[in-house]
Structures are given as C-alpha cells and as structure tokens.
C-alpha cells in the first residue's frame, strides 16, 4: 500500500426533477414502468390438461373480459389431438 495516497470526498450529482415533469427520485406511480406493470397484471396464465395424457394447454386470459388472448397449442391443433388418428408430426405429409 502506498503511504502517499490521498483519500477525499467523491462528488455526487444532485437529483433534479426531470424536464418532462416526471417525478424525481425514482417514483413508481405514474411512470411507464407502473403502466407496464398494470398492463401485465391484467393477464393470467391458465394451464389445463390436454385431451390426451401428458399434454397441456396454456392459455393467457384477460382478467377483465375473460377473453382468451393467446393459447398454445392453438385450438386447431387441440382438435386434431382429439381425433383418434393424430400423432406428433401428422400435420406434415413427408411422402412424395
């Protein structure tokens, strides 16, 4: 260690209000992050058992309307899974 090392105060920038009128100091309420969090909280993930053993259906529901926003696998694939002759890869015909 050096004996001639000088330790002094470190300057810290002052926190000033944002020019666009947004609150300073990291206020969460009213910010874009708050809006994004509210939008994300509107949706709910529901996992249901599929038509065959070992399969699952993932649905994203809108809590306010009850509408299914997204579903994996799609409804058409679920309908094919319900058919007795469906097997994985049966959607594509690889025979020439």
């Amino acid at each position: 260690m050096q004996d001639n090392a000088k330790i002094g105060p470190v300057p810290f920038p002052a926190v000033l209000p944002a020019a666009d009128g947004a609150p300073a100091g990291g206020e969460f309420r009213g910010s874009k992050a708050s809006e994004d969090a509210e939008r994300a909280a509107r949706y709910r993930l529901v996992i249901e058992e599929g038509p065959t053993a070992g399969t699952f259906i993932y649905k994203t529901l809108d809590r306010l309307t009850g509408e299914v926003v997204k579903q994996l696998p799609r409804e058409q694939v679920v309908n094919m899974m319900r058919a007795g002759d469906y097997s994985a890869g049966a959607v594509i015909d690889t025979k020439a």
Side-chain angles (χ1 to χ4, degrees):
M1 184 170 176
Q2 296 179 357
D3 291 333
N4 61 354
K6 293 183 181 179
I7 299 175
V10 177
F12 185 81
V15 177
L16 301 174
D20 62 358
E27 288 291 326
F28 185 71
R29 223 175 337 167
S31 67
K32 181 170 177 0
S34 172
E35 293 171 10
D36 291 343
E38 287 180 27
R39 192 176 309 112
R42 182 175 177 169
Y43 300 109
R44 180 178 72 173
L45 175 66
V46 176
I47 303 172
E48 299 175 350
E49 190 172 357
T52 58
T55 61
F56 297 95
I57 301 170
Y58 301 89
K59 294 180 180 180
T60 303
L61 299 177
D62 186 326
R63 289 179 189 251
L64 300 178
T65 64
E67 174 188 11
V68 176
V69 178
K70 190 172 191 175
Q71 176 179 322
L72 296 173
R74 292 183 179 171
E75 190 65 36
Q76 295 87 346
V77 176
V78 173
N79 290 337
M80 287 190 295
M81 290 167 65
R82 287 189 177 109
D85 60 346
Y86 175 80
S87 63
V91 177
I92 301 172
D93 184 11
T94 58
K95 297 178 184 174

